[in-house]
Structure formats: C-alpha cells, structure tokens
Amino acid sequence: MNWRRYFWPVVGIAAVIFSLLLLWHELRGISLDDVWDGLAAIPTRGWILAALSSVIAYAALAGYDHIALLHIGKRVSWLFVTLCSFTTYALSHNIGGSVFSGAVIRYRAYGTRGLTGQDVGVLVAICWITFVLSTILAFGLVLVFEPQIIDRFSGIAHHGLSEAAGIAMLLVVAAYVFGSWLHLRPLKIASFQLHYPALPIVARQLLIGPIELLAAAAIIFFALPEAHNPGYFVVLGVFLVSFSVAQISHAPGGLGVFEVVFLAGLSDMEPVGVLAALLVFRLFYLIIPLFLGLGIVLFFERSQFSRTES
C-alpha cells in the first residue's frame, strides 16, 4: 500500500474532526432555533445579493479555464468551457484537494475535445497559478489598507509587520508581471513544459482572479447582520484567511475549519448572525453548485455513452 495515497485524505478528515470539536465548543450555547432565527433575520435584499455574488464568483471561475485555454492556444466552445469549469469547481470545492480532483474532472471532459494529458496539466497549472496569484494580490491589498486584520486572530497588534507582509505580497505579484515582460524560459519537468504566460494573459489573471474572491466574500458580507458589521474590506480579509486555511487543511469543503477560523476573525459579532451568514455561503457557493454539477456530470456521461453506443 502506498501511504502517500492516504496521507492527505487522513489529514483532511482529521482537520474536519478537530475543527468540528472546536466549533461545538464555540457554539455549544446556540440552539437550532437560534440558527433558524438568524437565517430568518436576513432580509430579502441580502439573500438576493448573496445569490448574485455566487453567480459572479462562478462566472469568474469559468474565466480561469478560458484564460488557461487561451494560454495553451486551444479553442473549445464557450458553453462547454463554462459548464466544465462550473462542474470542476462545484465538485472539487466539496471533495477537497481541489487541484487533484479538479485535474481528474478536467481530463475526463477536455479529453473529449482533443486536449492531451499535457494540455490538461498546463491548464490545471495555469488555473492554480491564477488562484494563488489572485489570493496574494487581494491579501496584500488587505494587509496594506487594513493591517489590523491580523489582530483579529492573534489578539496582538502587528500593524507594521502586517503592512510589510502586504507590501511583500504585492512585490511578488509585481515580480510575476515583470517575469512575463522578460519572457522567461519555460519550466521543464521531464517532458512537461509550462511556458510563462504572456502579458495579456497575466492582465486577465489579475483582473478575473480577484473578482472571484471579492464575489465569494460578498456572499457572506450581504448575509451578515448590520450590528457590529466591520465592513466589507474586513470581511474580505477574514474570508481570505479562513478560505486559505480551509484549503491548506484539505478538509472536504473546508468543513468546520472554515467556520472556526471565520468565527475567530469576527469574534466581535454575534455568533448566531455569523453562523447564519456562513450557512448562506455554503448553500450558494457549495451545496447548490454541487447538485447542479452532479446533474451536469450525469448528462455528460449519458451523452458520451450514447455516442459510444451509436
């Protein structure tokens, strides 16, 4: 048995169990009726804006695949790419290990459109780079303009250190752009080659990528109560920290991990209201897309089976 096949799944499950225990300890005084009241307190306008933010987030995620296909010079129909991207992220966000699970889904889908394994590998790499680059850019801006965001997790003022870290992140993004301008040599790993994106591709990465993060954070912001609401920029910062930790934990859907970190970041707000907003986020960003994605997969596999039979 290859232990490496089971290492990250075990880590993810352990992270879920540990986080759920912390979450239970944090919310043990809150009943289901309290949570329901929190959801009922969200105004209709908040539900509508949260739903629209989710649509924008997934539209931006589709842009990841369009950017990657433009980079490798492959033409695939706009509708197919959009549906493939939506399904990939809808499933991988819930499964965990989004890079690897997303690669499997993309390989199955894009293989039917003539892309090779190496093409899909480059596509996955560009999508991952777009996400990481966007996170660094957004987080860098948050740390520069809201350096006290780290205080919400540490309890100690680190404003100077936060600003320095934010500037360093922005310099990383600038170095990436500069590397594109220099036309650096491709990265070679055995037969695999990853060419540095051209400046027009980089411009698209820096535009489309952050939109997804901004929209995803907006889902929670619009569902939060107005009382003690710290504002969108702070919510964005807490979201970036929570989402990043959830991704690193490899917990399926970031279950428990995301909630624990987010509640810690907004500890000055009523936990019931924050928990209700997080449930809205899971509904619009994870649960509904998961069911829609499964329906797309079933339709795709049925159509492929019909073609094989004919």
Side-chain angles (χ1 to χ4, degrees):
M1 293 174 62
N2 189 343
W3 65 271
R4 286 173 294 185
R5 292 175 54 193
Y6 303 95
F7 178 74
W8 287 118
V10 170
V11 170
I13 293 172
V16 169
I17 295 173
F18 180 69
S19 299
L20 288 178
L21 290 173
L22 290 177
L23 193 61
W24 175 82
H25 184 268
E26 183 75 19
L27 303 175
R28 63 186 184 278
I30 298 177
S31 66
L32 291 177
D33 290 337
D34 293 331
V35 176
W36 180 256
D37 291 339
L39 290 171
I42 300 174
T44 303
R45 175 178 175 272
W47 284 99
I48 294 174
L49 290 175
L52 288 176
S53 297
S54 179
V55 172
I56 293 172
Y58 272 94
L61 284 173
Y64 284 29
D65 283 47
H66 287 285
I67 291 170
L69 287 166
L70 186 64
H71 171 73
I72 62 179
K74 298 291 183 179
R75 295 182 64 86
V76 181
S77 72
W78 179 88
L79 179 60
F80 185 89
V81 174
T82 301
L83 290 176
C84 179
S85 173
F86 173 81
T87 305
T88 296
Y89 287 107
L91 271 62
S92 62
H93 282 161
N94 286 275
I95 296 171
S98 57
V99 174
F100 302 105
S101 56
V104 173
I105 299 169
R106 285 189 175 100
Y107 181 74
R108 170 60 179 156
Y110 287 123
T112 64
R113 294 300 185 270
L115 271 69
T116 65
Q118 179 158 316
D119 290 335
V120 175
V122 174
L123 186 147
V124 171
I126 293 297
C127 288
W128 180 78
I129 290 171
T130 302
F131 169 74
V132 173
L133 188 70
S134 304
T135 303
I136 293 173
L137 174 60
F139 209 0
L141 291 173
V142 168
L143 289 177
V144 169
F145 292 104
E146 291 283 351
Q148 70 272 22
I149 197 74
I150 301 300
D151 304 351
R152 293 177 168 271
F153 299 96
S154 65
I156 305 174
H158 297 94
H159 294 183
L161 184 61
S162 296
E163 290 176 350
I167 293 172
M169 289 181 175
L170 295 179
L171 287 175
V172 169
V173 176
Y176 180 82
V177 176
F178 187 61
S180 175
W181 181 72
L182 289 177
H183 302 289
L184 296 180
R185 294 180 179 180
L187 173 65
K188 295 182 180 180
I189 304 175
S191 61
F192 178 80
Q193 288 191 12
L194 180 61
H195 291 267
Y196 211 105
L199 278 175
I201 301 296
V202 173
R204 288 176 171 85
Q205 288 179 302
L206 294 178
L207 175 63
I208 300 297
I211 290 176
E212 189 273 326
L213 296 171
L214 295 174
I219 300 172
I220 301 174
F221 173 73
F222 288 125
L224 284 171
E226 294 184 4
H228 305 291
N229 191 316
Y232 173 75
F233 214 57
V234 172
V235 173
L236 172 63
V238 174
F239 171 82
L240 290 172
V241 174
S242 305
F243 197 73
S244 298
V245 173
Q247 290 285 312
I248 294 171
S249 72
H250 287 268
L255 184 62
V257 181
F258 183 77
E259 285 79 4
V260 166
V261 180
F262 210 101
L263 284 165
L266 292 183
S267 58
D268 52 343
M269 292 191 68
E270 187 66 34
V272 172
V274 178
L275 184 60
L278 294 177
L279 289 175
V280 171
F281 172 79
R282 285 201 171 274
L283 175 66
F284 286 136
Y285 194 77
L286 296 174
I287 297 174
I288 292 177
L290 174 62
F291 282 104
L292 293 175
L294 289 174
I296 294 173
V297 169
L298 291 174
F299 177 80
F300 173 77
E301 293 298 342
R302 183 176 180 276
S303 64
Q304 292 300 117
F305 179 78
S306 299
R307 288 183 182 180
T308 303
E309 287 293 304
S310 60

